[in-house]
Amino acid sequence: MAETADVVVVGGGVNGISIACALASRGVKRVVLLEQGALASGASGRSSALVRMHYTNETDARLAWASFPVFRDWVELMGGPPVFTHTGFVNVVSPPYADNLRRNVEMLRGIGVNTVALTPAELKALQPFANVDDVGAAAYEPDSGYANPAETVEGFRRRAVERGAQVRQWTAVTAIRRREGRVIGVDTAAGAIDAGAVVVAAGAWSVRLCREMGLRLPARPKAIDTVVVTRPPALRDPHMIFIDNVQGSYFRPESGILTLVGVPCQEWDIDPDTLGTGLPPQSATQGAQILTQRIPAMEQATLSRGYRAFDGYSEDRHAILGRVEGVDGLYLATAFSGSGFKISPAVGACMAELIVDGEAKTVDIGRFALRRFAEGKTADGPYPYAPRWDQVEPPAQGA
Ligand SMILES: Cc1cc2nc3c(=O)[nH]c(=O)nc-3n(C[C@H](O)[C@H](O)[C@H](O)COP(=O)(O)OP(=O)(O)OC[C@H]3O[C@@H](n4cnc5c(N)ncnc54)[C@H](O)[C@@H]3O)c2cc1C
């Protein structure tokens, strides 16, 4: 006889484990999370894990703002070692986007975020080693920082298990079963599990898993490249986190003397099962150019290492969250588009509220529903920045 669960969560990244934790915390008795490999073996384990609130759309900003205290007050709220490193954060844009940035800062302040818009001269006073010649404005968040991804996932796992959830690693879901318009469970190599609700939180694998059950997700897996350098002695003290919209990149300090930089990469439709971890040879040079453009003294930095990872990117670069209309009991928390770490605590809360109470209350996630694509809507905000060239989609293979 098949095992029975109330909710099966597919995927043990930061979002799947946060959802399992939130469901168990809301009293759902039989929560089973199934992870095909080790927890955090997908995007989450290699995430740069910036924890900031600056977004150009209000839903993401509210999810990040609702999540922020969980990272900051992790020891009190979640137990275990702290996961958050405070650094301060700036988001810089070129002059044509300065007005949009100021409007977005107003939107964020309206939500309650501690943030101000800076002129280039004010940014220079804050980070004297920065080149601000090509900067039109910067949004400053003094409280932001970054998290330790592995410790975050482990903390959610610990709390989920304490609250009664079962977390099974090395257990791939081979199929999501449905009958007459509703989900009835999943198949795994270790046997079937009957369940009235299934949450797909399978990161870059979600597209394939959903396709196999006849559901097309408007999302594609994309590679993400990261280079890590050792800062020169002149920059020994950690700098703030920069999201550099002028260059379409970001960088942050990492454990003392290292700096980690995101290198734009245009590798779409990768198979997450076969992706190696090596970087293309030009990535180190690109990373160095990005850093040196913003902080000239980084010219003396030395390459430490680099790695390739991936995430699922939706058509409008915002997550797909919520129920699937026409398939009762099927829920999606996926396609986080390179930005799903910092919002994971609120994603867990919202998905648990939706499944248990029928409505997400922590944040209204209606704009992130799958149906927006069929309705021709986007979750974008009204004041965007320059499009990132690495996020411009090539035609799908075979199209
Ligand atoms: C290099 C890099 C830097 C990033 N930087 C940031 C950042 O600074 N801030 C930020 O907010 N976000 C960032 N992101 C994005 C963020 O890390 C991801 O959006 C987030 O981790 C996605 O979490 P997830 O749980 O949805 O997916 P994943 O972590 O990919 O987890 C999905 C899991 O599902 C499992 N799985 C797949 N198929 C199955 C199956 N059939 N059965 C069972 N298990 C299955 C996989 O093994 C995997 O462990 C970054 C991502 C990368 C790669």
Side-chain angles (χ1 to χ4, degrees):
M1 220 172 75
E3 183 185 351
T4 306
D6 294 317
V7 185
V8 167
V9 179
V10 187
V14 73
N15 283 294
I17 197 72
S18 171
I19 294 164
C21 180
L23 284 166
S25 299
R26 288 183 78 80
V28 180
K29 291 273 177 285
R30 294 169 304 174
V31 177
V32 178
L33 180 143
L34 302 171
E35 163 54 50
Q36 64 184 359
L39 292 180
S41 55
S44 300
R46 294 192 191 125
S47 183
S48 302
L50 270 56
V51 174
R52 45 88 188 180
M53 274 58 74
H54 194 91
Y55 274 101
T56 55
N57 78 94
E58 197 171 326
T59 307
D60 268 320
R62 286 188 182 278
L63 287 166
W65 181 228
S67 299
F68 177 63
V70 179
F71 291 110
R72 186 193 54 202
D73 306 331
W74 186 265
V75 179
E76 294 78 16
L77 295 173
M78 298 294 293
V83 300
F84 181 67
T85 302
H86 171 242
T87 57
F89 162 88
V90 287
N91 182 86
V92 303
V93 299
S94 58
Y97 296 96
D99 281 345
N100 280 5
L101 180 139
R102 286 188 276 271
R103 290 190 168 105
N104 289 326
V105 165
E106 281 315 303
M107 177 270 288
L108 287 154
R109 289 173 65 86
I111 291 172
V113 178
N114 180 18
T115 181
V116 288
L118 304 179
T119 64
E122 288 168 332
L123 174 60
K124 185 83 184 168
L126 200 61
Q127 299 279 272
F129 40 77
N131 165 29
V132 299
D133 290 352
D134 56 354
V135 171
Y140 173 42
E141 294 176 9
D143 304 331
S144 295
Y146 66 93
N148 178 320
E151 289 290 357
T152 304
V153 170
E154 168 54 19
F156 280 129
R157 184 204 66 80
R158 200 170 45 239
R159 178 55 58 88
V161 170
E162 281 166 12
R163 301 271 159 98
Q166 292 188 38
V167 176
R168 297 184 198 159
Q169 302 184 81
W170 314 106
T171 310
V173 168
T174 51
I176 298 171
R177 289 183 292 126
R178 62 169 162 173
R179 187 187 299 146
E180 292 165 5
R182 72 160 299 114
V183 151
I184 57 167
V186 298
D187 288 332
T188 79
I193 304 178
D194 292 340
V198 173
V199 184
V200 177
W205 291 263
S206 297
V207 177
R208 187 173 64 203
L209 189 62
C210 287
R211 189 171 54 230
E212 284 166 0
M213 69 174 297
L215 176 67
R216 191 192 84 84
L217 287 190
R220 297 164 75 177
K222 187 181 97 66
I224 306 178
D225 291 342
T226 309
V227 164
V228 184
V229 302
T230 302
R231 290 193 300 276
L235 294 168
R236 204 184 48 201
D237 294 339
H239 49 82
M240 287 193 301
I241 294 173
F242 279 68
I243 287 188
D244 191 331
N245 283 283
V246 183
Q247 302 191 79
S249 181
Y250 67 89
F251 51 92
R252 72 153 169 88
E254 163 76 18
S255 59
I257 56 159
L258 300 177
T259 287
L260 178 160
V261 55
V263 178
C265 150
Q266 255 276 13
E267 292 283 333
W268 291 78
D269 302 321
I270 47 119
D271 176 353
D273 282 339
T274 58
L275 188 73
T277 55
L279 284 184
Q282 71 275 16
S283 294
T285 310
Q286 279 178 275
Q289 282 167 347
I290 290 164
L291 280 175
T292 309
Q293 167 66 18
R294 189 58 58 223
I295 304 183
M298 283 285 194
E299 200 174 3
Q300 303 300 321
T302 52
L303 181 66
S304 175
R305 63 179 188 276
Y307 44 89
R308 172 161 281 190
F310 46 80
D311 202 0
Y313 281 69
S314 78
E315 282 177 4
D316 66 3
R317 313 290 179 260
H318 304 284
I320 303 176
L321 295 177
R323 57 170 69 85
V324 177
E325 283 162 22
V327 191
D328 287 353
L330 182 62
Y331 297 85
L332 299 172
T334 194
F336 287 96
S337 308
S339 194
F341 189 91
K342 72 188 75 59
I343 60 175
S344 57
V347 166
C350 288
M351 294 303 292
E353 290 158 1
L354 183 65
I355 294 166
V356 175
D357 305 329
E359 189 188 359
K361 298 213 175 65
T362 298
V363 175
D364 178 356
I365 54 171
R367 289 193 70 199
F368 282 4
L370 175 64
R371 69 166 178 276
R372 72 181 184 269
F373 299 100
E375 292 171 349
K377 293 180 182 158
T378 152
D380 288 347
Y383 303 112
Y385 302 139
R388 287 181 50 162
W389 70 263
D390 61 318
Q391 295 195 8
V392 175
E393 278 184 62
Q397 278 166 19

